[in-house]
Amino acid sequence: MNETPWVKATASNSDGTCVEQRRVGDVIEVRDTKDRGGPVLRFTRAEFAAWLDGARGGEFDHLLDGG
């Protein structure tokens, strides 16, 4: 099975406040960097691509407003 290494954004904090992603076959996995042995969310490539498109377009920016 084709598996990439876990990666996180370069803008992530050094204290582990971030998530990591990798591709395993046709699935994108996402996990909490602070809990690497914990649960993993799994998305199809289409689902992850739709989320990335929304994030690039600012659709989720309101979630950061107001704490």
Side-chain angles (χ1 to χ4, degrees):
M1 181 174 295
N2 188 13
E3 180 177 301
T4 64
W6 288 101
V7 295
K8 61 182 179 178
T10 56
S12 298
N13 295 333
S14 61
D15 65 357
T17 307
C18 58
V19 295
E20 300 172 310
Q21 333 26 247
R22 73 174 177 181
R23 183 173 38 84
V24 179
D26 287 334
V27 174
I28 307 298
E29 295 184 333
V30 179
R31 71 179 180 187
D32 184 342
T33 302
K34 296 181 303 304
D35 187 13
R36 291 182 170 153
V40 174
L41 298 173
R42 291 177 176 87
F43 302 94
T44 66
R45 290 172 68 146
E47 290 167 336
F48 198 74
W51 182 86
L52 282 177
D53 185 61
R56 287 180 186 129
E59 291 180 34
F60 313 120
D61 290 355
H62 70 283
L63 298 172
L64 299 174
D65 295 340

